Amino acid sequence: MTLRVRSGELPSAVHPLTQEVLLLLELYSQVGEVVDHASYPDYQVLRTLQTLVQRGIVELRAGAPVPAPDSGLFRASQLRRLREWTGIRSGAPRDGKLLIASSSPGVTRDFLHLLRTVPGLVPHPRMGDGLAAHSLGPIARLRLEDDLGIELLHVPVTASYAPLWPLAGHGALGSLLLMDGPVADGVSTLRPFSDALRSLPRSRLVHVLMVRPGEVGLAEDVRQNVELMEESTLCLLPLERRRDPLESLRGVFSRLLP
């Protein structure tokens, strides 16, 4: 799946959903990748892709997979992969560990606010809107099945914690690197942490760009700075209240699966 026209030739005044899909099409070539990374519900993204194909803006190659919408945070096949990765056996449950790092305390609070809406989330007593940027420790457990879950661990990106970063990341499912705009500033703040984690075995780094209501110029900002993220994945996470948080978070968490 590819764009048939240059990005500069596309109209500037288009719906935010269409803008996001066009941005993702510059980063990914598979329908499933675009759907998983998009912050909108799957059916809306698929409908937008269909419209772009009909208008000749996007060329869809034969045989490209189109995943069916799902109501859970993870699809059944994704849960099986996660279970296999954690090595869970009957009577010996073991959670996956997920690191949470952010470019600012405000970004952390916004993300935690979204997490509270996820079914199965059990907040740690220390998890609150006043979580400090310099606080290291567990913030919540996401229960997926009776014997399967994900433990969320907040890791500060201040230099004084640098010796602990590889220890915290050892055996982790992955790391979510939370940031807001400008993109270059967020990536710069998170760079020491991401560099330290990138060398670990099976490292999965996902930059999560928090999109606030009414934010303009974001797509161009990402296009100009996407190379700064090197080998990590980028997800856009909208903070609009009218958006279903579960739908927005699905694409983020799916990027962490082995």
Side-chain angles (χ1 to χ4, degrees):
M1 182 174 58
T2 57
L3 281 171
R4 300 184 64 182
V5 297
R6 297 178 180 178
S7 57
E9 300 173 351
L10 298 172
S12 57
V14 296
H15 190 276
L17 167 57
T18 305
Q19 289 181 344
E20 181 174 325
V21 169
L22 292 173
L23 168 62
L24 291 172
L25 284 170
E26 294 188 359
L27 304 175
Y28 307 104
S29 60
Q30 298 295 322
V31 172
E33 292 177 324
V34 174
V35 172
D36 284 340
H37 285 79
S39 57
Y40 288 79
D42 291 359
Y43 74 92
Q44 292 185 12
V45 177
L46 293 172
R47 186 172 58 188
T48 299
L49 285 171
Q50 182 182 30
T51 300
L52 292 173
V53 170
Q54 292 173 343
R55 294 182 178 180
I57 298 176
V58 171
E59 180 179 1
L60 185 62
R61 295 191 298 270
V66 180
D70 196 293
S71 59
L73 184 60
F74 291 107
R75 300 185 180 96
S77 60
Q78 294 173 328
L79 286 175
R80 287 194 296 270
R81 287 161 52 192
L82 183 58
R83 179 178 290 278
E84 292 172 359
W85 185 87
T86 57
I88 291 178
R89 292 179 175 84
S90 178
R94 173 189 166 205
D95 286 349
K97 178 174 61 174
L98 174 62
L99 305 189
I100 305 294
S102 62
S103 60
S104 70
V107 175
T108 305
R109 287 192 295 269
D110 289 338
F111 184 73
L112 295 181
H113 180 72
L114 288 180
L115 277 182
R116 290 179 185 276
T117 67
V118 175
L121 186 83
V122 181
H124 190 275
R126 70 196 299 276
M127 177 180 171
D129 292 337
L131 180 67
H134 303 293
S135 179
L136 170 66
I139 53 179
R141 179 182 186 267
L142 180 60
R143 178 186 176 277
L144 303 177
E145 293 182 335
D146 289 342
D147 60 347
L148 179 63
I150 298 177
E151 192 77 22
L152 279 65
L153 178 69
H154 181 258
V155 182
V157 297
T158 51
S160 59
Y161 282 90
L164 299 178
W165 293 339
L167 297 176
H170 179 72
L173 178 63
S175 301
L176 295 182
L177 311 179
L178 312 177
M179 62 182 184
D180 53 8
V183 172
D185 293 345
V187 172
S188 176
T189 300
L190 295 165
R191 172 78 69 186
F193 177 81
S194 62
D195 286 346
L197 271 291
R198 188 171 287 113
S199 61
L200 295 179
R202 299 185 298 184
S203 174
R204 295 182 185 85
L205 303 176
V206 179
H207 279 87
V208 181
L209 183 59
M210 314 291 281
V211 184
R212 293 183 169 79
E215 203 162 10
V216 297
L218 180 63
E220 184 60 28
D221 188 17
V222 173
R223 289 192 186 100
Q224 293 177 356
N225 295 284
V226 68
E227 70 279 357
L228 297 177
M229 299 171 209
E230 297 180 352
E231 299 177 359
S232 66
T233 302
L234 169 67
C235 286
L236 306 181
L237 189 59
L239 298 175
E240 296 183 19
R241 293 184 178 180
R242 62 180 178 84
R243 194 74 48 75
D244 181 2
L246 181 60
E247 288 288 351
S248 300
L249 289 165
R250 279 191 62 215
V252 174
F253 277 84
S254 67
R255 297 297 91 200
L256 297 164
L257 294 175

